[in-house]
């Protein structure tokens, strides 16, 4: 295997605690595989090793290109990554892409016991275009509310005549309790595919998780207003809003970081590899000699941030609450100058995720881990799940 496939994320081969048997978070993306191995020590998450491997070369494509590998090729790539990174844990948690499932919030009547499961399944059929037997489904009640409270508050204003009182009494008798239910669905076929890949690489599956939840686990911090993440991946951009620790909405856009590279290649007449280098090294530079390059990048980003703004507005209309901060994650979040563009387009505070800050690691790694952190948000979130 050509060592150049591993890129700058392997400036050295290391595994600081060779005897440890922690857990590995595995993020299989459309252009690369990322892993993070953590262990728990003195109630802290300790980074043991990490790594990223471009999958393009396994299909005779370039590093950074979106690639669909066969299961056999993906197993080979994962084995190479585990070996190169020095990962030695035997169990793993793997993320499933949001595109291969969906997450939504349902407003349902409150019923007791096992009846709630039947209500959720009945409602889920409206959203799932395949038989329920073909998917894995999980749900959790977020909160409950009572319409009778609105009637009671109306009666507190006083001045009601006898007919109004009787009408409100009837409303109290007929009120319905409702609950908000967070529903997550993933195709069984996709789960089996990832299970084959992970077990084929010699690991045991500990659990699965939709990537959007992993991102929030590694990026979360205390915030009094709703927070939105923008995960700028290679082939798509995923957005989600969390309020008080609860996922409230999600949205995906079929444009990602590779489109930035493709736009540079087409507009400036350079090859894909050179365009990728220009994107990484120059980015959204304020220097006038790079004005043409910046214009190309901004034309793609403006569409993505326009979608994000519409998503934010839709959330505000639905919940009467505004997003107060945006957290950028994913490989595209490392683009130089992207935070300034995001602030300009979205009009709120924007920060770049620093998921490695949730872990303990040797001080000499701080600079590189902060630089590559956004692209490892999913993998770190997965590994943290088991600690």
């Amino acid at each position: 295997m050509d060592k150049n496939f591993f890129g700058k994320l392997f400036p050295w081969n290391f595994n600081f605690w060779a005897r440890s048997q922690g857990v590995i978070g595995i993020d299989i993306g459309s252009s690369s595989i990322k892993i993070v191995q953590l262990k728990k020590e003195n109630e802290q998450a300790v980074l043991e090793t990490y790594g990223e491997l471009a999958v393009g070369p396994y299909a005779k494509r370039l590093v950074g290109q979106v690639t669909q590998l066969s299961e056999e090729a993906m197993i080979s790539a994962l084995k190479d990554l585990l070996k190169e990174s020095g990962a030695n844990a035997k169990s793993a948690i793997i993320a499933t892409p949001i595109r291969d499932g969906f997450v939504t919030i349902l407003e349902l009547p409150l019923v007791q016991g096992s009846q709630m499961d039947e209500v959720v399944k009945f409602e889920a059929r409206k959203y799932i275009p395949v038989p329920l037997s073909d998917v894995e489904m999980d749900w959790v009640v977020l909160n409950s509310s009572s319409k009778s409270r609105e009637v009671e508050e109306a009666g507190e204003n006083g001045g009601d005549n006898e007919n109004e009182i009787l009408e409100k009494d009837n409303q109290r008798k007929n009120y319905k309790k409702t609950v908000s239910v967070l529903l997550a669905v993933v195709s069984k076929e996709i789960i089996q595919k990832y299970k084959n890949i992970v077990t084929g690489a010699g690991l045991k599956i500990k659990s699965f998780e939709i990537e959007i939840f992993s991102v929030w686990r590694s990026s979360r911090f205390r915030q009094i207003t709703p927070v939105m993440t923008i995960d700028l991946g290679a082939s798509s951009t995923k957005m989600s809003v969390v309020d008080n620790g609860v996922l409230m909405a999600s949205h995906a856009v079929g444009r990602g970081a590779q489109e930035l590279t493709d736009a540079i290649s087409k507009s400036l007449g350079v090859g894909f590899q050179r365009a990728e280098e220009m994107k990484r090294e120059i980015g959204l530079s304020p220097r006038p000699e790079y004005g043409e390059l910046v214009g190309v990048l901004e034309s793609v980003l403006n569409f993505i941030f326009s979608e994000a703004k519409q998503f934010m507005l839709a959330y505000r209309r639905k919940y009467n609450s505004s997003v107060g901060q945006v957290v950028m994650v994913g490989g595209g979040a490392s683009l130089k100058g992207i935070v300034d563009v995001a602030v300009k387009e979205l009009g709120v505070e924007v920060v770049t995720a620093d998921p490695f800050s949730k872990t303990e690691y040797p001080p000499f790694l701080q600079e590189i881990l902060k630089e590559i952190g956004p692209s490892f948000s999913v993998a770190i979130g997965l590994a943290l799940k088991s600690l």
Side-chain angles (χ1 to χ4, degrees), residues 253-328:
V253 179
R255 294 190 181 184
Q258 180 173 306
E259 185 155 341
L260 295 170
T261 306
D262 290 338
I264 295 172
S265 177
K266 182 178 180 179
S267 298
L268 303 186
V270 297
F272 181 90
Q273 189 169 353
R274 177 55 184 156
E276 183 73 10
E277 292 172 354
M278 294 173 71
K279 180 182 73 175
R280 293 177 181 272
E281 295 172 6
I282 301 172
L284 296 159
S285 172
R287 295 174 60 176
E289 61 264 36
Y290 298 127
E292 187 176 4
L293 170 64
V294 172
V296 171
L297 293 174
E298 286 184 338
S299 66
V300 177
L301 290 174
N302 287 345
F303 174 84
I304 293 174
F305 288 132
S306 176
E307 287 284 317
K309 191 169 185 177
Q310 291 301 313
F311 179 51
M312 291 169 61
L313 292 173
Y315 178 84
R316 185 174 68 185
R317 286 195 296 267
K318 183 175 182 178
Y319 294 103
N320 194 31
S321 181
S322 298
V323 169
Q325 185 181 62
V326 171
V327 181
M328 297 291 301

Coordinates of all heavy atoms in Angstrom, one line a residue, residues 253-328:
V253 N -28.3 18.6 2.4 CA -28.1 19.2 1.1 C -27.2 18.4 0.3 O -26.1 18.0 0.8 CB -27.6 20.6 1.3 CG1 -27.4 21.3 -0.1 CG2 -28.5 21.5 2.1
G254 N -27.5 18.1 -0.9 CA -26.7 17.2 -1.8 C -25.5 17.9 -2.4 O -25.1 17.6 -3.5
R255 N -24.9 18.8 -1.7 CA -23.6 19.4 -2.1 C -22.6 19.4 -0.9 O -23.0 19.6 0.2 CB -23.9 20.9 -2.6 CG -24.7 21.0 -3.8 CD -24.7 22.4 -4.3 NE -25.6 22.5 -5.5 CZ -25.7 23.6 -6.2 NH1 -25.0 24.7 -5.9 NH2 -26.5 23.7 -7.3
G256 N -21.4 19.2 -1.3 CA -20.4 19.1 -0.2 C -19.0 19.6 -0.6 O -18.9 20.4 -1.6
A257 N -18.0 19.2 0.1 CA -16.7 19.8 -0.1 C -16.1 19.4 -1.5 O -15.3 20.2 -2.0 CB -15.7 19.4 1.0
Q258 N -16.4 18.3 -2.0 CA -15.9 17.9 -3.3 C -16.4 18.9 -4.4 O -15.7 19.1 -5.4 CB -16.2 16.5 -3.7 CG -15.6 16.1 -5.1 CD -15.7 14.7 -5.5 OE1 -15.3 13.8 -4.7 NE2 -16.3 14.4 -6.6
E259 N -17.6 19.4 -4.3 CA -18.1 20.3 -5.2 C -17.2 21.6 -5.3 O -17.1 22.2 -6.3 CB -19.5 20.7 -5.0 CG -20.1 21.5 -6.0 CD -21.7 21.4 -6.1 OE1 -22.2 20.4 -5.6 OE2 -22.3 22.3 -6.7
L260 N -16.7 21.9 -4.1 CA -15.7 23.1 -4.1 C -14.5 22.8 -5.0 O -14.1 23.6 -5.8 CB -15.3 23.4 -2.7 CG -16.3 23.8 -1.7 CD1 -15.8 23.8 -0.3 CD2 -16.9 25.2 -2.0
T261 N -14.0 21.6 -4.9 CA -12.8 21.2 -5.7 C -13.2 21.1 -7.2 O -12.4 21.6 -8.0 CB -12.3 19.8 -5.2 OG1 -12.0 19.9 -3.8 CG2 -11.0 19.5 -5.9
D262 N -14.3 20.5 -7.5 CA -14.7 20.4 -8.9 C -14.9 21.8 -9.5 O -14.6 22.0 -10.7 CB -16.1 19.6 -8.9 CG -15.9 18.1 -8.6 OD1 -14.7 17.7 -8.8 OD2 -16.9 17.5 -8.2
A263 N -15.5 22.7 -8.7 CA -15.7 24.1 -9.2 C -14.4 24.8 -9.5 O -14.3 25.5 -10.6 CB -16.5 24.9 -8.2
I264 N -13.4 24.6 -8.7 CA -12.1 25.2 -8.9 C -11.5 24.6 -10.2 O -10.9 25.3 -11.0 CB -11.1 24.9 -7.7 CG1 -11.6 25.6 -6.5 CG2 -9.7 25.3 -8.0 CD1 -10.9 25.3 -5.2
S265 N -11.5 23.2 -10.3 CA -11.0 22.6 -11.4 C -11.6 23.0 -12.7 O -10.9 23.3 -13.7 CB -11.2 21.0 -11.3 OG -10.7 20.3 -12.4
K266 N -12.9 23.2 -12.8 CA -13.6 23.6 -14.0 C -13.4 25.1 -14.3 O -13.1 25.4 -15.5 CB -15.1 23.3 -13.8 CG -15.9 23.7 -15.0 CD -17.4 23.3 -14.8 CE -18.2 23.6 -16.1 NZ -19.6 23.3 -15.9
S267 N -13.5 25.9 -13.3 CA -13.4 27.4 -13.5 C -12.0 27.8 -13.8 O -11.8 28.7 -14.6 CB -13.9 28.1 -12.3 OG -15.3 27.8 -12.1
L268 N -11.0 27.2 -13.2 CA -9.6 27.7 -13.3 C -8.8 26.8 -14.3 O -7.6 27.1 -14.5 CB -8.9 27.7 -11.9 CG -9.6 28.6 -10.9 CD1 -8.7 28.7 -9.6 CD2 -9.9 30.0 -11.5
G269 N -9.4 25.7 -14.8 CA -8.7 24.9 -15.8 C -7.6 24.1 -15.2 O -6.5 24.0 -15.9
V270 N -7.7 23.6 -14.0 CA -6.6 22.8 -13.4 C -7.2 21.4 -13.1 O -8.4 21.2 -13.0 CB -6.0 23.5 -12.1 CG1 -5.4 24.8 -12.4 CG2 -7.1 23.6 -11.1
G271 N -6.3 20.4 -12.9 CA -6.7 19.1 -12.6 C -7.2 19.0 -11.2 O -7.1 19.9 -10.3
F272 N -7.9 17.9 -10.9 CA -8.6 17.7 -9.6 C -7.6 17.8 -8.5 O -7.8 18.4 -7.4 CB -9.3 16.4 -9.6 CG -10.0 16.1 -8.3 CD1 -11.4 16.5 -8.1 CD2 -9.4 15.5 -7.2 CE1 -12.0 16.3 -6.9 CE2 -10.1 15.3 -6.0 CZ -11.4 15.7 -5.9
Q273 N -6.4 17.1 -8.6 CA -5.5 17.1 -7.5 C -4.9 18.5 -7.2 O -4.8 18.9 -6.0 CB -4.3 16.2 -7.9 CG -3.3 15.9 -6.7 CD -2.3 14.8 -7.0 OE1 -2.5 14.1 -8.0 NE2 -1.4 14.6 -6.2
R274 N -4.7 19.3 -8.3 CA -4.2 20.6 -8.1 C -5.3 21.5 -7.4 O -5.0 22.3 -6.5 CB -3.7 21.2 -9.4 CG -3.3 22.7 -9.3 CD -2.2 22.9 -8.2 NE -1.9 24.3 -8.0 CZ -1.3 24.8 -6.9 NH1 -1.1 24.1 -5.9 NH2 -1.1 26.1 -6.9
A275 N -6.5 21.3 -7.9 CA -7.6 22.1 -7.3 C -7.8 21.7 -5.9 O -8.1 22.6 -5.0 CB -8.9 21.7 -8.1
E276 N -7.6 20.5 -5.5 CA -7.8 20.1 -4.1 C -6.7 20.8 -3.2 O -6.9 21.2 -2.1 CB -7.6 18.6 -4.0 CG -7.8 18.0 -2.5 CD -9.2 18.1 -2.0 OE1 -10.2 18.3 -2.8 OE2 -9.4 17.8 -0.8
E277 N -5.5 20.8 -3.8 CA -4.4 21.5 -3.1 C -4.6 23.0 -2.9 O -4.4 23.5 -1.8 CB -3.1 21.3 -3.9 CG -2.6 19.9 -3.9 CD -1.4 19.7 -4.9 OE1 -1.1 20.7 -5.6 OE2 -0.8 18.6 -4.9
M278 N -5.2 23.6 -3.9 CA -5.5 25.1 -3.8 C -6.6 25.3 -2.8 O -6.5 26.3 -2.0 CB -5.9 25.6 -5.2 CG -4.8 25.5 -6.3 SD -5.4 26.0 -7.9 CE -5.8 27.7 -7.7
K279 N -7.6 24.4 -2.8 CA -8.6 24.6 -1.8 C -8.1 24.5 -0.4 O -8.5 25.3 0.5 CB -9.7 23.5 -2.0 CG -10.9 23.6 -1.0 CD -11.9 22.4 -1.3 CE -11.3 21.1 -0.8 NZ -12.3 20.0 -0.9
R280 N -7.2 23.5 -0.1 CA -6.7 23.3 1.2 C -5.7 24.4 1.6 O -5.6 24.8 2.8 CB -6.0 21.9 1.3 CG -7.0 20.8 1.2 CD -6.3 19.4 1.2 NE -7.2 18.3 1.1 CZ -7.8 17.7 2.1 NH1 -7.6 18.1 3.3 NH2 -8.7 16.7 1.9
E281 N -4.8 24.7 0.7 CA -3.7 25.6 1.0 C -4.1 27.1 1.0 O -3.6 27.9 1.8 CB -2.5 25.4 0.1 CG -1.9 24.0 0.2 CD -0.9 23.7 -0.9 OE1 -0.6 24.6 -1.7 OE2 -0.4 22.5 -1.0
I282 N -4.9 27.5 0.1 CA -5.3 28.9 -0.1 C -6.7 29.2 0.5 O -6.8 30.2 1.3 CB -5.3 29.3 -1.6 CG1 -3.9 29.0 -2.2 CG2 -5.7 30.8 -1.7 CD1 -3.8 29.2 -3.7
G283 N -7.6 28.4 0.2 CA -9.0 28.6 0.7 C -9.5 29.9 0.4 O -9.4 30.5 -0.7
L284 N -10.2 30.6 1.4 CA -10.9 31.9 1.2 C -9.9 33.0 1.6 O -10.2 33.8 2.4 CB -12.2 31.9 1.9 CG -13.2 30.9 1.5 CD1 -14.2 30.6 2.6 CD2 -13.9 31.4 0.2
S285 N -8.7 33.0 1.0 CA -7.7 34.0 1.3 C -8.2 35.4 1.0 O -8.8 35.6 -0.1 CB -6.4 33.7 0.6 OG -5.5 34.7 0.8
P286 N -7.9 36.4 1.9 CA -8.3 37.8 1.6 C -7.3 38.5 0.6 O -7.5 39.6 0.2 CB -8.2 38.4 2.9 CG -7.1 37.7 3.7 CD -7.3 36.2 3.2
R287 N -6.2 37.8 0.2 CA -5.2 38.4 -0.7 C -5.8 38.6 -2.1 O -6.5 37.7 -2.6 CB -4.0 37.6 -0.7 CG -3.2 37.5 0.6 CD -2.1 36.5 0.6 NE -1.1 36.9 -0.4 CZ 0.1 36.2 -0.5 NH1 0.4 35.2 0.2 NH2 0.9 36.6 -1.5
P288 N -5.6 39.8 -2.7 CA -6.3 40.1 -4.0 C -5.9 39.2 -5.1 O -6.7 38.9 -6.0 CB -5.8 41.5 -4.2 CG -4.6 41.7 -3.4 CD -4.8 40.9 -2.1
E289 N -4.7 38.6 -5.1 CA -4.3 37.7 -6.2 C -5.1 36.4 -6.2 O -5.0 35.7 -7.2 CB -2.8 37.4 -6.1 CG -2.3 36.7 -4.8 CD -1.8 37.7 -3.8 OE1 -2.3 38.8 -3.7 OE2 -0.8 37.3 -3.1
Y290 N -5.8 36.1 -5.1 CA -6.6 34.9 -5.1 C -8.1 35.2 -5.2 O -8.9 34.4 -4.9 CB -6.4 34.2 -3.8 CG -4.9 33.7 -3.6 CD1 -4.2 34.0 -2.4 CD2 -4.3 33.0 -4.5 CE1 -2.9 33.6 -2.2 CE2 -3.0 32.5 -4.4 CZ -2.3 32.9 -3.2 OH -1.0 32.5 -3.0
G291 N -8.4 36.4 -5.7 CA -9.8 36.8 -5.8 C -10.6 35.9 -6.7 O -11.8 35.6 -6.4
E292 N -10.1 35.4 -7.8 CA -10.8 34.5 -8.7 C -11.2 33.2 -8.0 O -12.3 32.7 -8.1 CB -10.1 34.2 -10.0 CG -10.9 33.5 -11.0 CD -10.1 33.3 -12.3 OE1 -9.0 33.7 -12.4 OE2 -10.7 32.7 -13.3
L293 N -10.2 32.6 -7.3 CA -10.4 31.4 -6.6 C -11.4 31.5 -5.5 O -12.3 30.7 -5.3 CB -9.0 30.9 -5.9 CG -9.1 29.7 -5.0 CD1 -9.6 28.5 -5.7 CD2 -7.8 29.5 -4.3
V294 N -11.3 32.6 -4.7 CA -12.3 32.9 -3.7 C -13.7 33.0 -4.2 O -14.7 32.5 -3.7 CB -11.9 34.2 -2.9 CG1 -13.0 34.5 -1.9 CG2 -10.6 33.9 -2.1
G295 N -13.8 33.7 -5.4 CA -15.1 33.9 -6.0 C -15.8 32.5 -6.4 O -17.0 32.3 -6.2
V296 N -14.9 31.6 -6.8 CA -15.4 30.3 -7.2 C -15.9 29.5 -5.9 O -17.0 28.9 -5.9 CB -14.3 29.4 -7.9 CG1 -14.7 28.0 -8.0 CG2 -14.0 30.0 -9.2
L297 N -15.1 29.6 -4.9 CA -15.5 28.9 -3.6 C -16.8 29.5 -3.0 O -17.7 28.8 -2.6 CB -14.4 29.0 -2.6 CG -13.1 28.2 -3.0 CD1 -12.0 28.5 -1.9 CD2 -13.3 26.7 -3.0
E298 N -16.9 30.8 -3.1 CA -18.0 31.5 -2.5 C -19.3 31.2 -3.2 O -20.4 31.1 -2.6 CB -17.8 33.0 -2.4 CG -16.8 33.4 -1.3 CD -16.7 34.9 -1.2 OE1 -17.0 35.6 -2.2 OE2 -16.2 35.4 -0.2
S299 N -19.2 31.0 -4.5 CA -20.4 30.7 -5.3 C -21.0 29.4 -4.9 O -22.3 29.2 -4.8 CB -20.1 30.6 -6.8 OG -19.2 29.5 -7.1
V300 N -20.2 28.4 -4.5 CA -20.7 27.1 -4.0 C -21.2 27.3 -2.5 O -22.3 26.8 -2.2 CB -19.7 26.0 -4.1 CG1 -20.2 24.7 -3.5 CG2 -19.2 25.8 -5.5
L301 N -20.4 27.9 -1.7 CA -20.7 28.1 -0.3 C -22.0 28.9 -0.1 O -22.8 28.6 0.8 CB -19.6 28.7 0.4 CG -18.3 27.9 0.6 CD1 -17.2 28.7 1.2 CD2 -18.6 26.6 1.5
N302 N -22.2 29.9 -1.0 CA -23.4 30.7 -0.8 C -24.7 29.9 -1.0 O -25.7 30.1 -0.3 CB -23.4 31.8 -1.9 CG -22.4 32.9 -1.5 OD1 -21.9 33.0 -0.4 ND2 -22.1 33.8 -2.5
F303 N -24.6 28.9 -1.9 CA -25.8 28.0 -2.0 C -26.0 27.2 -0.7 O -27.1 27.1 -0.2 CB -25.6 27.1 -3.2 CG -26.7 26.0 -3.3 CD1 -27.9 26.4 -3.9 CD2 -26.6 24.8 -2.7 CE1 -29.0 25.4 -4.0 CE2 -27.6 23.8 -2.8 CZ -28.8 24.2 -3.4
I304 N -24.9 26.6 -0.2 CA -25.0 25.8 1.0 C -25.5 26.6 2.2 O -26.4 26.2 2.9 CB -23.7 25.2 1.3 CG1 -23.3 24.1 0.2 CG2 -23.7 24.5 2.7 CD1 -21.9 23.5 0.4
F305 N -25.0 27.8 2.4 CA -25.4 28.7 3.5 C -26.8 29.3 3.3 O -27.5 29.5 4.3 CB -24.3 29.8 3.7 CG -23.1 29.3 4.3 CD1 -21.8 29.6 3.8 CD2 -23.1 28.4 5.4 CE1 -20.6 29.2 4.3 CE2 -21.9 27.9 5.9 CZ -20.7 28.3 5.4
S306 N -27.2 29.4 2.1 CA -28.6 29.8 1.8 C -29.5 28.8 2.3 O -30.6 29.1 2.9 CB -28.8 30.1 0.3 OG -30.1 30.5 0.0
E307 N -29.2 27.5 2.0 CA -30.0 26.4 2.5 C -30.0 26.4 4.0 O -31.1 26.1 4.6 CB -29.5 25.1 2.0 CG -29.7 24.8 0.5 CD -31.2 24.4 0.2 OE1 -31.7 23.6 1.0 OE2 -31.7 24.9 -0.8
A308 N -28.9 26.6 4.6 CA -28.8 26.6 6.1 C -29.6 27.8 6.7 O -30.3 27.6 7.7 CB -27.3 26.8 6.5
K309 N -29.6 28.9 6.0 CA -30.4 30.0 6.5 C -31.9 29.7 6.4 O -32.7 30.0 7.3 CB -30.1 31.3 5.7 CG -30.7 32.6 6.3 CD -30.1 33.8 5.6 CE -30.6 35.1 6.3 NZ -30.0 36.3 5.7
Q310 N -32.3 29.1 5.3 CA -33.7 28.7 5.2 C -34.1 27.7 6.3 O -35.2 27.7 6.8 CB -34.0 28.1 3.8 CG -33.9 29.2 2.7 CD -34.9 30.3 2.9 OE1 -36.1 30.1 3.2 NE2 -34.4 31.5 2.7
F311 N -33.2 26.8 6.6 CA -33.4 25.8 7.6 C -33.6 26.4 9.0 O -34.5 26.1 9.7 CB -32.3 24.8 7.6 CG -32.3 23.7 8.7 CD1 -33.5 22.9 8.8 CD2 -31.2 23.5 9.5 CE1 -33.5 21.9 9.8 CE2 -31.3 22.5 10.5 CZ -32.4 21.7 10.6
M312 N -32.8 27.4 9.2 CA -32.9 28.2 10.5 C -34.2 28.9 10.6 O -34.8 28.9 11.6 CB -31.7 29.2 10.6 CG -30.4 28.5 10.8 SD -29.0 29.7 10.6 CE -29.3 30.9 11.9
L313 N -34.6 29.5 9.5 CA -35.9 30.3 9.5 C -37.1 29.3 9.7 O -38.0 29.7 10.4 CB -36.0 31.1 8.2 CG -35.1 32.2 8.0 CD1 -35.2 32.8 6.6 CD2 -35.3 33.3 9.0
A314 N -37.0 28.2 9.0 CA -38.1 27.2 9.2 C -38.2 26.7 10.6 O -39.3 26.5 11.2 CB -37.9 26.0 8.3
Y315 N -37.0 26.5 11.3 CA -37.0 26.1 12.7 C -37.6 27.2 13.6 O -38.4 26.9 14.5 CB -35.6 25.9 13.1 CG -35.5 25.5 14.6 CD1 -35.7 24.2 15.0 CD2 -35.2 26.4 15.6 CE1 -35.7 23.8 16.3 CE2 -35.2 26.1 16.9 CZ -35.4 24.8 17.3 OH -35.3 24.4 18.6
R316 N -37.3 28.5 13.3 CA -37.8 29.6 14.1 C -39.3 29.7 14.0 O -40.1 29.9 14.9 CB -37.2 30.9 13.7 CG -37.6 32.1 14.6 CD -36.8 33.3 14.2 NE -37.2 33.8 12.9 CZ -36.6 34.9 12.3 NH1 -35.6 35.5 12.9 NH2 -36.9 35.3 11.1
R317 N -39.8 29.5 12.7 CA -41.3 29.6 12.5 C -42.0 28.4 13.2 O -43.1 28.6 13.8 CB -41.6 29.5 11.0 CG -41.3 30.8 10.3 CD -41.9 30.8 8.9 NE -41.4 29.7 8.1 CZ -40.4 29.9 7.2 NH1 -39.8 31.1 7.1 NH2 -40.0 28.9 6.5
K318 N -41.4 27.3 13.2 CA -42.1 26.1 13.8 C -42.0 26.1 15.3 O -43.0 25.8 16.0 CB -41.4 24.8 13.3 CG -42.1 23.5 13.8 CD -41.5 22.3 13.2 CE -42.2 21.0 13.7 NZ -41.7 19.8 13.1
Y319 N -40.9 26.5 15.9 CA -40.7 26.4 17.4 C -40.7 27.8 18.1 O -40.5 27.8 19.3 CB -39.5 25.6 17.7 CG -39.5 24.2 17.3 CD1 -38.9 23.8 16.1 CD2 -40.2 23.3 18.0 CE1 -38.9 22.4 15.7 CE2 -40.3 21.9 17.6 CZ -39.7 21.5 16.5 OH -39.7 20.2 16.1
N320 N -40.8 28.9 17.3 CA -40.8 30.2 17.9 C -39.5 30.4 18.7 O -39.5 31.0 19.8 CB -42.0 30.5 18.8 CG -42.2 32.0 19.1 OD1 -41.8 32.8 18.3 ND2 -42.8 32.2 20.2
S321 N -38.4 29.9 18.2 CA -37.1 30.0 18.9 C -36.0 30.1 17.9 O -36.1 29.4 16.9 CB -36.9 28.8 19.8 OG -35.7 28.9 20.5
S322 N -35.0 31.0 18.1 CA -34.0 31.2 17.1 C -32.7 30.5 17.4 O -32.3 30.4 18.6 CB -33.7 32.7 16.9 OG -34.9 33.4 16.5
V323 N -32.0 30.1 16.4 CA -30.7 29.5 16.6 C -29.7 30.6 17.0 O -29.7 31.7 16.4 CB -30.2 28.8 15.3 CG1 -28.7 28.5 15.3 CG2 -31.0 27.6 14.9
G324 N -29.0 30.3 18.1 CA -28.0 31.4 18.6 C -26.6 31.2 18.2 O -25.8 32.1 18.3
Q325 N -26.3 29.9 17.8 CA -24.9 29.7 17.4 C -24.8 28.5 16.4 O -25.7 27.6 16.4 CB -24.1 29.3 18.6 CG -22.6 29.1 18.4 CD -21.8 28.7 19.6 OE1 -22.1 27.7 20.2 NE2 -20.9 29.5 20.1
V326 N -23.9 28.6 15.5 CA -23.6 27.5 14.5 C -22.2 26.9 14.8 O -21.3 27.6 15.0 CB -23.7 28.1 13.1 CG1 -23.3 27.0 12.1 CG2 -25.1 28.5 12.8
V327 N -22.2 25.6 14.8 CA -20.9 24.9 14.9 C -20.6 24.2 13.6 O -21.4 23.3 13.1 CB -21.0 23.8 16.1 CG1 -19.6 23.1 16.2 CG2 -21.4 24.5 17.4
M328 N -19.5 24.5 13.0 CA -19.0 23.9 11.8 C -18.2 22.6 12.0 O -17.3 22.6 12.8 CB -18.1 24.9 11.0 CG -18.8 26.1 10.6 SD -20.1 25.9 9.3 CE -19.2 25.1 8.0

